[in-house]
Amino acid sequence: MTDSNLFFNYPESRKIDVVDDYHGTKVADPYRWLEDPDSDETKAWVEGQNQVTFGFLNEIPVRENLKERLTKLWDYEKYSIPFKKGDRYFYFKNDGLQNQSVLYTLTSLDGEPKELLDPNKLSTDGTVALSGIAITEDGNLMAYGLSSSGSDWQEWKVRNVETREDLPDHLKWIKFSGAAWTNDNQGFFYSRYDEPKEATKLEDVNYYQKLFYHRLGTPQSDDVLIYHRPDQKEWGFSGDVTEDGKYLIISVWRGTDPKNLFFYKDLTDRNAEVVELISEFEASYGFIENDGEIFWFRTDLDAPKGKVIGININNPAKENWQEIIPEAEEVLEGVGLLNNQFVAEYLKDARSQIKIFGLNGDFVREVELPGIGSAGGFSGKRYDTETFYSFTSFTFPTIIYRYNMITGESVVFRQPNVDFNPEDYETKQVFYASKDGTQIPMFITHKKGLELNGNQPTYLYGYGGFGVSLTPSFSVGLLVWLELGGVYAVPNLRGGGEYGEEWHLAGTKLQKQKVFDDFIAAAEWLIENNYTSAAKLAIAGGSNGGLLVGACMTQRPDLFAAALPAVGVMDMLRFHKFTIGWAWCSEYGSAENAEDFPVLYGYSPLHNLKSGVAYPATLITTADHDDRVVPAHSFKFAAALQEAHNGDKPVLIRIETKAGHGAGKPTAKIIEEIRDRWAFLVRTLKIEIA
């Protein structure tokens, strides 16, 4: 019995004799039984763990005060960026504390909005979420996807925008797909999988996606199979229709690898075959739009930070491709087409820059943004002269602007009213050296006038994977942490996309340890520069960021006082055996590969816990309906951590019910989870509440 078990009566985690042989290395997996979320034993274990966890959390006096403050701050109107289809505008709005945002439509921006779909009416507890919408070009019909309890599985329906009545159409077994209407408004393209086994649909692997066309008013069984590849089980298909309605464009993806293929089909010819325009997985290609037979793409081919090219589909040989906007020092994140101009969204040191170019690539102007932060939006049609964009930063809630493409003028369209003064806080960006000398940027946010005495509670948050860029964004939860006197630090680790594809690849597969080195170096920099100390430092991250936290707390348990891994990938030897986990092999490698195995085994959080070590206070969070990173990762890690841990700090797991990986989670559950996160840190970091 470890010392911690004297303080915490953890449920027994039965050990079984299961050993796998990986290329001659024998690896035990004593908690394999926890991979079955539906067994009576696992359910009893989950209930027992939650009893211990909530028993601990319920005893923290400040817990309810935190919920009150979070709820008060959260209660402000939140708007999405409006978009236009036909003569209608569409946008989402949340009155403040609604579990799900409501979709509205109106015919003029100063007109009276009409409620089009309120997901809150679809379930009593807000666990049915709107997971996708696609509206016809005339604005009269909407296809929409629903997901339940946070699952990635979707069902799609069709609604008449004017009458708000649903048509009989009902499509099932859709995952990782949107919908793309044909310009005649008679049907749409979508991707789906074969019907899974009901009992194991949240764990079974997802292979052999197929692209279909659904014609309105017909049963799903009559849908037309447009494209599939029985010889390529890992290929997925994303269909879209060009603005002129002439082409179906098909992006072919393989797991989470950014490299993709690109096919198209002529929709004006009923007998047209699918044409393989780009048939090698050698780079990323994002379709922008077409000008007749000229297809424009954003690509990182021979340009890790991105460029814009034009391909004539009648003369598609690579030597005939035209470079329109060359690679820049900044990372080209995305490109739109408005006012017959390219609107290019760049990242410079993880903050937004927006530049406008002519169709020939000539620079027109840079959009003046309010400050250092993240901008998004700029959607619309080729000849639109107005658009909308959002701007946010760590201490400024999202403001929506209306932008005139002709004059370059931005006007505030929606500005939230949140119960705090942003002038009380500041954000700075610093650069620090990682273990190998690479300079890593980091945003640091805190109250103005912070005393650098090495004693501030600090929340170090990271991700570092899949080319995802962590840019400045506002969070009510973060605001409450700052009000507690906390410091919030976000380093832009390798593995992300902040400096393009080379930066991403520098933190993948055999190089993954560099991501953990970057995060550990961030912690050391914060301590060396008197922001905090090891006794006051917490680390956090979700999904791939949960892996980051798990790896760093097992490699440097001395460096952190608390660790909060959320929905993390903790078993690096078996992740590919569940749902969409196989798709991450392009990022991590696979234990089935003899070259990858020792690297994965060397940092896998589950396999690097050592008996007798005092680990940081740990609050693992997961959800019973997570079919992206199955909860078995967190279950097995918690069982192994509780057995290995030799200290008086709690190592707990909080298991949310009727929730998934995070998407669509109702507001009430989000507030409760953040409340518990801060309450856990108030107690374990010994934060004094004024």
Side-chain angles (χ1 to χ4, degrees):
M1 179 182 289
T2 61
D3 289 347
S4 68
N5 286 340
L6 298 173
F7 296 90
F8 296 93
N9 187 20
Y10 300 117
E12 181 185 356
S13 298
R14 181 173 64 91
K15 299 177 77 169
I16 60 175
D17 186 20
V18 175
V19 178
D20 295 310
D21 188 323
Y22 293 93
H23 316 286
T25 299
K26 300 288 197 301
V27 180
D29 193 7
Y31 304 113
R32 178 79 57 88
W33 58 274
L34 282 167
E35 290 180 359
D36 180 1
D38 298 315
S39 75
D40 290 340
E41 188 176 16
T42 300
K43 288 178 179 178
W45 183 89
V46 166
E47 185 177 348
Q49 291 287 351
N50 271 342
Q51 283 180 356
V52 174
T53 298
F54 287 103
F56 176 83
L57 294 171
N58 286 335
E59 292 176 0
I60 302 173
V62 76
R63 185 168 177 247
E64 283 313 302
N65 293 340
L66 288 169
K67 183 177 180 180
E68 287 176 16
R69 183 58 178 150
L70 282 163
T71 303
K72 183 179 180 184
L73 281 171
W74 216 286
D75 194 7
Y76 70 93
E77 290 184 334
K78 305 167 189 70
Y79 291 86
S80 73
I81 302 170
F83 64 94
K84 194 175 184 182
K85 289 285 185 178
D87 295 327
R88 297 177 182 274
Y89 291 93
F90 299 84
Y91 68 92
F92 288 92
K93 178 191 172 189
N94 192 306
D95 289 340
L97 295 173
Q98 289 172 290
N99 275 322
Q100 305 287 345
S101 294
V102 179
L103 178 60
Y104 292 90
T105 182
L106 65 173
T107 51
S108 68
L109 290 174
D110 54 2
E112 187 66 29
K114 285 178 59 178
E115 179 187 300
L116 178 54
L117 195 153
D118 182 357
N120 299 291
K121 297 174 181 176
L122 301 176
S123 63
T124 56
D125 56 3
T127 56
V128 174
L130 187 62
S131 51
I133 61 171
I135 296 170
T136 53
E137 288 303 313
D138 62 8
N140 291 332
L141 293 171
M142 175 181 72
Y144 65 97
L146 299 175
S147 71
S148 298
S149 300
S151 170
D152 281 333
W153 286 115
Q154 301 174 329
E155 297 185 17
W156 280 73
K157 299 181 179 182
V158 178
R159 177 162 292 196
N160 182 302
V161 172
E162 182 61 33
T163 66
R164 294 186 295 171
E165 293 178 347
D166 281 348
L167 306 185
D169 306 75
H170 187 187
L171 310 183
K172 300 178 74 175
W173 308 121
I174 299 169
K175 188 184 274 198
F176 314 126
S177 174
W181 288 92
T182 50
N183 279 19
D184 62 5
N185 311 320
Q186 294 301 304
F188 53 85
F189 300 95
Y190 72 99
S191 300
R192 60 161 288 192
Y193 293 94
D194 291 337
E195 183 175 348
K197 297 175 184 175
E198 181 63 28
T200 55
K201 66 183 181 183
L202 296 183
E203 298 99 59
D204 289 348
V205 291
N206 305 131
Y207 287 131
Y208 299 110
Q209 197 184 49
K210 300 172 182 176
L211 180 64
F212 285 93
Y213 173 72
H214 173 74
R215 190 168 184 84
L216 282 182
T218 63
Q220 188 173 17
S221 57
D222 289 352
D223 289 355
V224 178
L225 178 62
I226 300 298
Y227 196 81
H228 76 131
R229 287 293 291 269
D231 60 325
Q232 299 289 349
K233 67 180 182 180
E234 295 183 351
W235 285 19
F237 309 101
S238 175
D240 208 347
V241 176
T242 55
E243 187 176 317
D244 60 17
K246 291 182 179 179
Y247 300 99
L248 167 67
I249 54 174
I250 306 170
S251 176
V252 183
W253 50 270
R254 186 176 59 187
T256 53
D257 189 341
K259 300 182 181 70
N260 62 320
L261 311 181
F262 204 90
F263 304 162
Y264 70 90
K265 177 181 170 68
D266 186 345
L267 294 177
T268 65
D269 179 359
R270 293 190 62 152
N271 299 315
E273 298 291 321
V274 171
V275 178
E276 297 188 5
L277 180 64
I278 297 166
S279 56
E280 293 181 49
F281 286 103
E282 61 178 359
S284 166
Y285 296 90
F287 182 74
I288 301 168
E289 202 38 81
N290 70 306
D291 185 15
E293 290 75 35
I294 305 296
F295 282 21
W296 291 308
F297 293 90
R298 180 248 176 239
T299 184
D300 57 12
L301 179 70
D302 301 323
K305 293 184 178 178
K307 63 182 178 182
V308 174
I309 62 170
I311 301 176
N312 187 325
I313 60 174
N314 294 327
N315 196 12
K318 193 175 290 184
E319 59 265 24
N320 299 319
W321 294 4
Q322 179 189 5
E323 182 177 272
I324 299 171
I325 302 176
E327 184 181 27
E329 284 295 310
E330 301 80 24
V331 177
L332 180 59
E333 287 246 291
V335 185
L337 192 64
L338 293 161
N339 194 38
N340 216 28
Q341 296 171 317
F342 293 117
V343 180
E345 300 183 24
Y346 287 95
L347 268 191
K348 178 179 175 59
D349 294 330
R351 52 205 205 197
S352 291
Q353 283 186 334
I354 311 296
K355 297 180 181 180
I356 297 174
F357 298 87
L359 297 186
N360 60 359
D362 287 348
F363 175 74
V364 176
R365 77 171 79 91
E366 184 171 340
V367 177
E368 289 187 27
L369 298 176
I372 295 173
S374 305
F378 297 98
S379 64
K381 296 196 169 300
R382 178 170 180 176
Y383 295 102
D384 286 352
T385 57
E386 75 159 11
T387 187
F388 298 87
Y389 70 92
S390 63
F391 182 83
T392 185
S393 69
F394 291 112
T395 56
F396 282 85
T398 300
I399 300 173
I400 297 170
Y401 292 88
R402 192 175 181 180
Y403 185 71
N404 188 313
M405 287 293 300
I406 298 173
T407 66
E409 181 185 18
S410 292
V411 177
V412 172
F413 178 66
R414 292 282 186 269
Q415 184 165 7
N417 182 24
V418 185
D419 181 29
F420 86 111
N421 181 9
E423 297 302 319
D424 292 343
Y425 304 91
E426 62 179 323
T427 296
K428 66 182 75 171
Q429 188 178 42
V430 301
F431 290 80
Y432 66 90
S434 188
K435 184 177 181 179
D436 62 1
T438 301
Q439 289 292 303
I440 312 294
M442 177 163 58
F443 293 107
I444 304 175
T445 304
H446 52 73
K447 284 182 180 177
K448 285 183 178 175
L450 182 80
E451 183 183 356
L452 295 181
N453 58 11
N455 200 38
Q456 308 297 345
T458 297
Y459 190 73
L460 177 62
Y461 180 86
Y463 189 78
F466 296 94
V468 173
S469 300
L470 292 190
T471 60
S473 63
F474 179 77
S475 157
V476 166
L478 164 62
L479 193 56
V480 171
W481 175 252
L482 298 176
E483 289 182 343
L484 290 171
V487 175
Y488 181 58
V490 181
N492 297 112
L493 314 172
R494 280 174 284 188
E498 291 87 353
Y499 291 102
E501 185 57 9
E502 288 180 349
W503 191 256
H504 167 222
L505 292 176
T508 62
K509 291 189 173 179
L510 304 182
Q511 307 295 315
K512 187 68 178 175
Q513 181 60 39
K514 290 181 179 177
V515 184
F516 313 138
D517 292 342
D518 292 352
F519 201 54
I520 289 167
E524 292 174 334
W525 188 93
L526 289 165
I527 293 170
E528 289 166 6
N529 286 272
N530 291 322
Y531 280 91
T532 192
S533 64
K536 292 289 187 180
L537 179 58
I539 54 173
S543 196
N544 175 75
L547 160 64
L548 170 72
V549 172
C552 291
M553 66 178 281
T554 53
Q555 292 181 17
R556 288 294 307 277
D558 60 304
L559 191 56
F560 318 109
L564 292 87
V567 293
V569 188
M570 300 304 202
D571 184 346
M572 298 308 297
L573 304 186
R574 289 175 58 79
F575 68 84
H576 58 294
K577 295 181 178 291
F578 303 96
T579 63
I580 199 63
W582 61 265
W584 314 330
C585 292
S586 60
E587 183 82 9
Y588 299 138
S590 169
E592 294 177 15
N593 181 310
E595 184 183 19
D596 295 339
F597 166 72
V599 176
L600 290 164
Y601 192 40
Y603 71 74
S604 176
L606 176 65
H607 300 98
N608 283 278
L609 291 163
K610 296 179 176 60
S611 182
V613 172
Y615 286 100
T618 305
L619 181 63
I620 303 162
T621 51
T622 188
D624 62 350
H625 278 71
D626 190 346
D627 51 2
R628 185 83 56 83
V629 180
V630 293
H633 283 278
S634 294
F635 292 177
K636 290 164 68 175
F637 183 70
L641 178 61
Q642 288 172 352
E643 184 199 21
H645 179 51
N646 185 15
D648 57 4
K649 293 181 177 179
V651 288
L652 307 172
I653 180 167
R654 183 188 189 278
I655 304 154
E656 189 67 80
T657 56
K658 293 190 74 175
H661 197 61
K665 185 178 288 188
T667 297
K669 285 183 181 291
I670 295 172
I671 288 175
E672 288 171 358
E673 187 173 315
I674 296 172
R675 167 202 65 187
D676 289 347
R677 187 186 308 155
W678 297 153
F680 182 80
L681 292 182
V682 165
R683 181 159 176 179
T684 56
L685 300 185
K686 299 180 173 61
I687 298 174
E688 295 181 9
I689 307 297

